[in-house]
C-alpha cells in the first residue's frame, strides 16, 4: 500500500535513498543540489517558491519521490504560462499558487519522477503523477505542471494532462578526437567564422582556464557570483541564486566546471557548467570586460573542448539562442505536461496548444534548413 506525503524541505528526506531513486542521472535532481538551493536562501515564498516535495512510502520505506514546489508566480521556470495565468485571472479565477514538478531556475531536461530502475518503476511513476493530481484537487489549486521531462517520465502523464513542447539547441559528440575534428564536420563558412572568433580572443590577452568546483577558493566563488549577478542586473532580471549557493557548488567537486578568463588574480569573465557522466550543462555567464567573441569562447567552445576531452556525449548550453546553430548546436525538442483543474479552461488551452505545436513544427523545419553541418546533422 503506497502512502503519499508532502515535505516542506528536502532535508526531511534521506539523501542516499533520494539519489538512488534518481539513478544518479542528473546533478540537478541530486539531493545535494536541491538542498543547497533551500539552505542558502534561493527557495523562498516571497520569491514564489515553497518546497512541497512528494514522497511515496511503502511500509515506511521511501520508494519514489518527486521534486515539487508550490509556486506563487511563474518566475524561474522557463516554460512560460503567463498568458494562461492572465486569462484565468481575467475570468475571475485565481491562478497562483500552482504545483510545479521541476528543478528551480534550471531549464535542463532530466528525471522528474524518481522511481529507481526496477520493474516497478513505470507503475511508481504513474503513482507519483496520481498523487500530484490528487494534491492539486485537495488544495483547490488551478493547475499542476511538470517541466523538462525525459521520455521515461512522459508516459506517466496521460489523460487530462496537456502536452507542450519547445526547442533548445544541443551539441552532440560524434566521437571527435579534438576540436579541429569537430570543426571539420561543419560547413566551410561556419568553420572559418569559429576559427576567426577564437583567434581574436586568443590574441586579446586574458588567460582562459577550465577549473573544477573543488579547486576554486572562496574569493573565486565571490567573484563568480558577482559576475553572474551583474549579468542579471544588466538585463533587468532578478539574480535569485545567492553567494552562499555559489559557494556550496564547490562542494559538488568535478560536477561543477567553470571556464574563467583571468588577468592577474582577477576573474574577468566566467561561464559556469555542471556535468554528469554523459552530459555537460551550461548555466551562467558573466563578464567585466568587453571583448568580441569572449562569450562564445567561454560558453560554447570551451564547453565543446571539455566535452570532447571527457568523452561526454552531449552538451546542453541552456535555453534559447538561435545563434548557437552556427556554432554546431542543433535543435532538440523539450517537453512539459500541464494539468488545469477547470475543464473548460483546460479545453481552451488544449486548443491553443494545437496551434502552438504547429508553430513549433514550422520553426524546427526552418532551423533544419540552416543546419551548420556539411553532412548529415547529428
Amino acid at each position: 500500500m503506497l502512502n503519499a506525503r508532502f515535505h516542506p524541505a528536502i532535508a526531511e528526506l534521506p539523501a542516499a535513498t533520494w539519489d538512488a531513486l534518481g539513478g544518479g542521472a542528473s546533478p540537478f535532481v541530486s539531493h545535494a543540489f536541491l538542498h543547497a538551493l533551500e539552505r542558502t536562501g534561493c527557495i523562498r515564498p516571497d520569491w514564489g517558491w515553497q518546497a512541497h516535495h512528494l514522497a511515496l512510502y511503502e511500509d515506511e520505506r521511501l520508494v519514489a519521490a518527486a521534486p515539487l514546489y508550490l509556486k506563487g508566480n511563474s518566475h524561474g521556470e522557463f516554460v512560460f504560462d503567463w498568458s494562461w495565468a492572465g486569462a484565468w485571472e481575467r475570468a475571475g479565477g485565481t491562478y497562483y499558487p500552482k504545483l510545479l514538478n521541476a528543478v528551480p531556475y534550471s531549464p535542463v531536461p532530466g528525471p522528474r519522477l524518481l522511481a529507481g530502475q526496477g520493474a516497478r518503476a513505470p507503475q511508481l511513476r504513474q503513482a507519483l503523477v496520481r498523487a500530484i493530481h490528487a494534491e492539486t484537487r485537495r488544495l483547490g489549486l488551478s493547475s499542476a505542471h511538470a517541466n523538462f521531462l525525459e521520455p521515461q517520465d512522459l508516459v506517466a502523464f496521460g489523460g487530462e494532462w496537456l502536452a507542450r513542447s519547445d526547442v533548445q539547441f544541443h551539441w552532440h559528440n560524434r566521437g571527435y578526437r579534438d576540436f579541429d575534428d569537430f570543426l571539420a564536420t561543419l560547413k566551410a563558412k561556419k568553420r572559418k567564422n569559429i576559427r576567426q572568433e577564437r583567434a581574436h580572443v586568443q590574441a586579446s590577452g586574458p588567460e582562459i582556464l577550465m577549473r573544477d568546483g573543488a579547486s576554486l577558493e572562496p574569493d573565486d566563488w565571490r567573484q563568480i557570483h558577482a559576475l553572474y549577478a551583474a549579468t542579471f542586473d544588466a538585463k533587468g532580471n532578478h539574480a535569485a541564486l545567492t553567494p552562499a549557493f555559489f559557494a556550496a557548488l564547490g562542494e559538488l567537486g568535478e560536477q561543477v566546471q567553470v571556464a574563467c578568463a583571468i588577468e592577474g588574480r582577477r576573474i574577468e569573465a566566467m561561464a559556469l557548467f555542471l556535468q554528469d557522466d554523459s552530459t555537460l550543462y551550461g548555466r551562467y555567464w558573466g563578464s567585466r570586460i568587453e571583448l568580441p567573441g569572449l562569450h562564445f569562447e567561454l560558453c560554447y567552445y570551451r564547453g565543446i573542448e571539455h566535452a570532447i576531452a571527457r568523452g561526454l556525449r552531449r552538451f546542453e548550453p541552456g535555453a534559447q539562442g538561435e545563434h548557437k546553430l552556427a556554432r554546431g548546436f542543433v535543435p532538440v525538442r523539450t517537453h512539459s505536461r500541464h494539468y488545469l483543474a477547470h475543464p473548460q479552461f483546460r479545453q481552451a488551452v488544449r486548443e491553443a496548444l494545437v496551434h502552438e505545436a504547429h508553430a513549433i513544427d514550422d520553426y524546427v523545419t526552418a532551423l533544419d534548413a540552416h543546419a551548420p553541418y556539411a553532412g548529415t546533422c547529428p
Side-chain angles (χ1 to χ4, degrees):
M1 197 71 178
L2 294 174
N3 177 28
R5 300 179 198 164
F6 295 86
H7 296 266
I10 199 168
E12 295 184 358
L13 295 161
T17 306
W18 177 282
D19 289 340
L21 291 172
S26 168
F28 296 94
V29 294
S30 70
H31 193 280
F33 184 87
L34 296 173
H35 187 211
L37 285 171
E38 292 181 21
R39 66 183 171 87
T40 61
C42 304
I43 303 301
R44 296 162 44 173
D46 57 325
W47 287 355
W49 294 90
Q50 182 177 336
H52 198 65
H53 301 303
L54 169 58
L56 293 184
Y57 295 90
E58 190 173 60
D59 297 327
E60 297 303 311
R61 182 171 61 92
L62 181 63
V63 296
L68 196 65
Y69 300 88
L70 285 163
K71 281 302 307 298
N73 55 43
S74 294
H75 290 294
E77 299 177 23
F78 299 92
V79 175
F80 303 110
D81 62 346
W82 299 105
S83 62
W84 303 356
W88 185 235
E89 291 177 358
R90 285 193 298 274
T94 301
Y95 194 76
Y96 304 107
K98 61 182 182 178
L99 273 180
L100 177 66
N101 174 213
V103 177
Y105 313 115
S106 301
V108 177
R112 299 293 181 261
L113 305 174
L114 313 183
Q117 304 298 321
R120 295 179 63 199
Q123 289 73 34
L124 289 172
R125 294 189 190 101
Q126 291 174 352
L128 287 167
V129 172
R130 288 195 298 270
I132 293 171
H133 184 278
E135 185 71 351
T136 305
R137 305 292 292 189
R138 185 186 75 82
L139 295 176
L141 304 180
S142 70
S143 56
H145 310 261
N147 292 349
F148 297 101
L149 295 164
E150 288 190 332
Q152 65 182 11
D153 288 342
L154 284 172
V155 296
F157 293 90
E160 297 174 313
W161 290 81
L162 306 181
R164 194 179 191 189
S165 68
D166 204 345
V167 175
Q168 289 185 351
F169 296 86
H170 297 174
W171 177 88
H172 301 274
N173 189 350
R174 294 191 284 180
Y176 301 118
R177 296 184 300 273
D178 52 31
F179 194 86
D180 283 338
D181 194 26
F182 152 65
L183 284 182
T185 66
L186 299 180
K187 294 176 180 176
K189 184 176 179 180
K190 303 290 191 294
R191 183 165 61 245
K192 178 181 177 182
N193 289 343
I194 290 173
R195 283 178 171 152
Q196 287 177 339
E197 286 176 343
R198 301 203 76 187
H200 180 78
V201 172
Q202 186 177 11
S204 298
E207 180 183 16
I208 298 178
L209 300 173
M210 184 74 84
R211 305 274 301 277
D212 68 68
S215 72
L216 293 163
E217 301 292 335
D219 185 60
D220 296 326
W221 282 116
R222 283 191 288 271
Q223 292 185 66
I224 290 167
H225 180 269
L227 291 166
Y228 149 80
T231 299
F232 273 69
D233 290 345
K235 296 181 178 180
N237 295 325
H238 172 61
L241 301 180
T242 62
F245 174 74
F246 270 62
L249 286 176
E251 300 171 13
L252 299 181
E254 289 195 354
Q255 281 192 306
V256 176
Q257 301 286 328
V258 184
C260 301
I262 301 172
E263 291 184 341
R265 293 185 56 84
R266 182 176 164 113
I267 300 175
E268 299 290 355
M270 69 84 194
L272 188 147
F273 309 86
L274 274 77
Q275 68 179 25
D276 56 32
D277 290 342
S278 66
T279 307
L280 182 69
Y281 307 92
R283 297 305 305 119
Y284 302 107
W285 138 268
S287 179
R288 294 188 180 94
I289 56 178
E290 294 289 336
L291 178 58
L294 184 60
H295 174 265
F296 303 136
E297 179 66 27
L298 294 183
C299 295
Y300 306 144
Y301 306 145
R302 292 291 165 148
I304 290 172
E305 283 189 335
H306 179 82
I308 293 171
R310 295 294 182 92
L312 303 178
R313 296 196 299 271
R314 190 168 64 252
F315 173 22
E316 301 179 11
Q320 304 170 343
E322 294 176 6
H323 59 278
K324 297 168 185 171
L325 192 68
R327 290 161 179 89
F329 297 84
V330 296
V332 173
R333 299 291 186 114
T334 60
H335 302 277
S336 59
R337 293 294 182 267
H338 308 269
Y339 167 69
L340 303 175
H342 193 281
Q344 290 167 309
F345 183 41
R346 182 166 62 246
Q347 181 58 30
V349 172
R350 187 191 303 274
E351 292 171 3
L353 287 176
V354 170
H355 297 289
E356 182 181 271
H358 290 315
I360 293 291
D361 289 341
D362 292 342
Y363 177 56
V364 172
T365 299
L367 290 171
D368 287 341
H370 299 281
Y373 290 88
T376 304
C377 195

